[in-house]
Amino acid sequence: MIAMRKRNTVFANLAISYLTIVIVVVLLLCSIFYLVVPYNYNEEIRSRNGIMLKNAAQTMESAVLERVHKIYLDITLKKTTSVDIAPKGSFQGQNSTILDIQDHLKQEVITNSDLVQAIHLYYPKSGVMISSLYGLKTRVDADSEALRSMDWIERMRTSGSGSLWTGPRMVPKDIHASASASNGMQPLITYARSYPFHSTGEASDLMIGMDIKETAFSGILRQMMPADYLNTYLIDEQGIVISAADKTMLGRRAGETDSIKSMLASQAEAQSFTETIGDTPYVVSHHKLPSSPWKIYNVIQENSFYQKSLVLQKVILYICLFAILIGAVLSGVFTIISYSPIKRLMGKVKGLFEHPSETRHNEYVLIDTAIHKLSTKVSTLEETLQANQPVIKHNVVMNVLRNGYLPDELEDQLLSLNFSMDYSGYCCMVIDPVSRGFKELGSKANRYAVYKLINQLEAAGMEEARLIAEELPDHKIVVIVCAHHPDDALLESVSGQILSDVEAHFGLQFKIAWGLWVEEWSQVCQSFAAAQTLIKYGFFFPEASILREFSLLNREHSHLEIPQSALLKFKEKLQARSLNDVTAATDHLLEELMEGMYAADYGQFVLRNLVSMYADFLKTARVKQPGPLQIDLYRQYPSLYDIHSYREWLLSSIAECYELMEKRSDERAKDSIEAVKQYVISHLSEDLSLDAAAAEVFLSAKYLSRIFKEETGMGYTEFVTQKRMERALELMQNSSLTVEQVAGAVGYGTPAYFIKKFKEIHGCTPKTYVRSLVNTGSHSFDERSCL
């Protein structure tokens, strides 16, 4: 029972499966390779052998037969046939010509020594022969020795053809010496042809015989087929061996086998077939010479012919065995790897059981039992998911808007929420509930209004469209409009319904921004991005309830900035404490932000910058903020809902600040007057205009002039002139400075104006005053010195 349980385990089944697959695949590949590859290789060997035979035949044709024919033409075209050999050996007047013919024959033999052993000219009518080897033979007849060694002459006399080849015969290499060990035998083949060209042998005027060396043929066979040279022969149409490695076979028939008979009877240019000779299979191949009935004949034992193929088969078998061995090892490795997650799963599955006896079953029973238990838990989980459906829907919508899903994941998530993907178009609308009335409702009423609007939108029954609404993290509302027939009229209708509902139920005015129509769920994020960008411009266009001008999107890519001088002008006017000037500078900036090609984020940056300048002004002026001014400006600014409310808030705050600064206590006024005096005394050489002094103590010039007169009894300008003259007298009494230098040291731009003011106060010019000092020798000022 235990053994049966082990055989039914997942591990055992995996191991058997992997091993079975490996064995089947390897055996299948082995069978294919064993059958196909050697067969193809055998065909390749046959084809290569046929090509070698063909090349040998073509080489033999060009290197032997064509050269022999050329020699024949050279002999016949060089007047060797024009000699008139008289009957019975009369050579009167022909000796010189005969010698020339013999020399010509010898020269041809020397030129073609690798091919030709000797050339003979035989004149049938006179029985005379001229030979490159024998010289002149005047009597060559049936009884002569020469005729018996040259059977081609007799064969030509009775031949109805114009040419013939004789079989090979063995002759001494040196015909003038007897055969011996030093004078070996060589095989020769004679090619005989009649002249004139178209005459037969029996009707010819001249017979030309050329003794061709058999080595010319065997050398080509050895060179072209070195591996099979011993089994390759050149045979004629009668089956006589013309050339072979074994010279004892020359002149004999190649054999009487069926392959020889089939080859001799075949009219095919080339053939290759297998034949059993004496219980031994052979591969027989032959190829015919192009211009001769001779054939190159090749016979090789099949096991030798396909030796490489047999080796290839053995190699394939060894490779397959090695592959099975490697496959078995890999099967074990893969079994262990594949079983590892199942093993870990079994560890977790066993933890689901309360009693150890329940874990003694094999994996299949354990998994089945675990699945049953998990099904029960899944049912409970489904109920939980149903209760959490709104949260899941919210998360899915947020991820869609962020393009947080891959295509397959997106489809699964949408289908899990019953969101159809069959609509033709999708468009996002962003609703911004920020307005004066919305802020005044309170947080609970705000959330109620938002969720009531979301529920009304999703419950709206529309035949050709569906609305999906969710609250965004920044408390705006996004509405995904899914339509079968997308058009702006549908968006117009939905927007109108939204605005009328919030107006009727809550008395509120929301802003709505439209996105672009897109064709796929995966592109909804693009529509949402456009709507989210447009809604930012609602702050700068408070009159527009619906933002649909996509030209505003171009402003997002603008790098245009407001000149720094315009911002500095606001700061200067703020410090000058002129409410009208501050209002004009503020209106200019706000109008520029609304009408210019400025990005919405940059516009908010400029507005925050103005708030920052105002906050710095309050801090520097050390204004104590009673009432509303006690609230932090940086906390007030984000609660503003449009640019008009921003303007109202900023200017009213500045006005309150100015009013507060104007109502400072007398102690504060005295401190300011004293600070102005010290500033004047310390900066006599600089610009001491009323505006400059007022800016130093953060008072308006008008207010400073009034309190300065009240506190000191003299005007600010009179005080400055007095202090400058006092300083001028000190410089003239205690230094050697010129009038021009003294004028510059006390803040007068021109000496003439300084002299004028000095004379108005002291009754004489500075030079007169200096001379009087020199004459009296005194360093103290006395108005009588100027008299």
Side-chain angles (χ1 to χ4, degrees), residues 596-615:
M597 287 295 293
Y598 300 102
D601 292 336
Y602 175 73
Q604 294 289 351
F605 167 77
V606 172
L607 298 180
R608 286 193 297 270
N609 201 3
L610 297 182
V611 174
S612 178
M613 291 179 183
Y614 177 46

Side-chain angles (χ1 to χ4, degrees), residues 159-433:
S159 174
S161 174
S163 64
L164 61 84
W165 285 88
T166 68
R169 64 183 186 281
M170 304 300 293
V171 299
K173 293 181 180 179
D174 186 358
I175 62 170
H176 301 292
S178 59
S180 62
S182 60
N183 187 21
M185 305 296 286
Q186 66 175 342
L188 296 178
I189 305 168
T190 301
Y191 173 70
R193 187 158 183 177
S194 62
Y195 184 82
F197 297 112
H198 301 294
S199 63
T200 61
E202 56 187 6
S204 63
D205 296 334
L206 173 65
M207 299 179 190
I208 302 174
M210 286 177 276
D211 293 336
I212 307 302
K213 297 177 181 179
E214 184 271 343
T215 55
F217 296 99
S218 61
I220 293 174
L221 294 178
R222 183 191 299 274
Q223 179 182 1
M224 302 300 294
M225 305 186 67
D228 300 327
Y229 171 62
L230 297 177
N231 302 307
T232 306
Y233 314 95
L234 178 65
I235 62 176
D236 64 8
E237 65 272 23
Q238 303 299 326
I240 304 300
V241 178
I242 303 299
S243 177
D246 185 3
K247 305 306 178 186
T248 60
M249 297 182 63
L250 299 179
R252 299 165 52 187
R253 289 185 63 85
E256 296 295 336
T257 62
D258 293 339
S259 61
I260 296 296
K261 294 177 181 178
S262 175
M263 181 188 63
L264 295 176
S266 174
Q267 299 297 320
E269 181 179 354
Q271 267 188 320
S272 180
F273 50 88
T274 302
E275 182 182 7
T276 302
I277 303 176
D279 297 331
T280 302
Y282 287 85
V283 175
V284 180
S285 306
H286 68 85
H287 198 287
K288 180 178 175 297
L289 271 64
S291 63
S292 171
W294 293 356
K295 296 181 179 179
I296 299 178
Y297 167 67
N298 177 266
V299 55
I300 306 173
Q301 285 190 11
E302 189 176 41
N303 59 354
S304 175
F305 189 82
Y306 295 138
Q307 186 65 36
K308 294 181 180 179
S309 176
L310 296 176
V311 172
L312 180 62
Q313 290 177 335
K314 293 179 180 179
V315 170
I316 292 175
L317 289 175
Y318 291 142
I319 292 175
C320 290
L321 293 176
F322 181 72
I324 291 176
L325 178 62
I326 297 298
V329 174
L330 292 177
S331 297
V333 174
F334 292 155
T335 300
I336 295 173
I337 295 174
S338 301
Y339 186 71
S340 294
I342 299 177
K343 185 177 180 180
R344 292 194 296 270
L345 177 62
M346 287 300 100
K348 295 180 180 180
V349 168
K350 290 179 180 179
L352 300 175
F353 298 97
E354 299 177 355
H355 302 288
S357 59
E358 296 179 347
T359 63
R360 296 176 182 175
H361 301 284
N362 60 32
E363 293 91 339
Y364 300 106
V365 176
L366 288 175
I367 292 175
D368 183 64
T369 306
I371 289 175
H372 177 71
K373 290 189 174 184
L374 289 175
S375 298
T376 304
K377 293 183 178 181
V378 167
S379 299
T380 305
L381 180 60
E382 287 179 350
E383 295 175 358
T384 305
L385 291 175
Q386 192 67 28
N388 294 327
Q389 184 75 6
V391 177
I392 297 173
K393 169 179 168 289
H394 175 80
N395 293 334
V396 170
V397 172
M398 291 301 103
N399 277 323
V400 169
L401 298 180
R402 291 192 296 265
N403 195 25
Y405 290 123
L406 297 174
D408 294 340
E409 294 176 335
L410 175 61
E411 183 175 357
D412 293 339
Q413 294 293 338
L414 295 176
L415 292 178
S416 67
L417 296 174
N418 296 322
F419 289 174
S420 175
M421 301 184 68
D422 297 331
Y423 292 102
S424 301
Y426 306 88
C427 182
C428 278
M429 301 170 62
V430 174
I431 305 172
D432 188 358

Side-chain angles (χ1 to χ4, degrees), residues 18 50 76 81 146 212 224 274 283 444 477 560 596 599 628 636 646 667 686 697 754 766:
Y18 277 125
T76 56
T81 59
I212 307 302
M224 302 300 294
T274 302
V283 175
K444 291 185 178 180
I477 302 171
L560 186 64
Q636 291 179 345
Y646 173 87
E667 182 182 354
E686 301 176 9
V697 293
F754 168 66

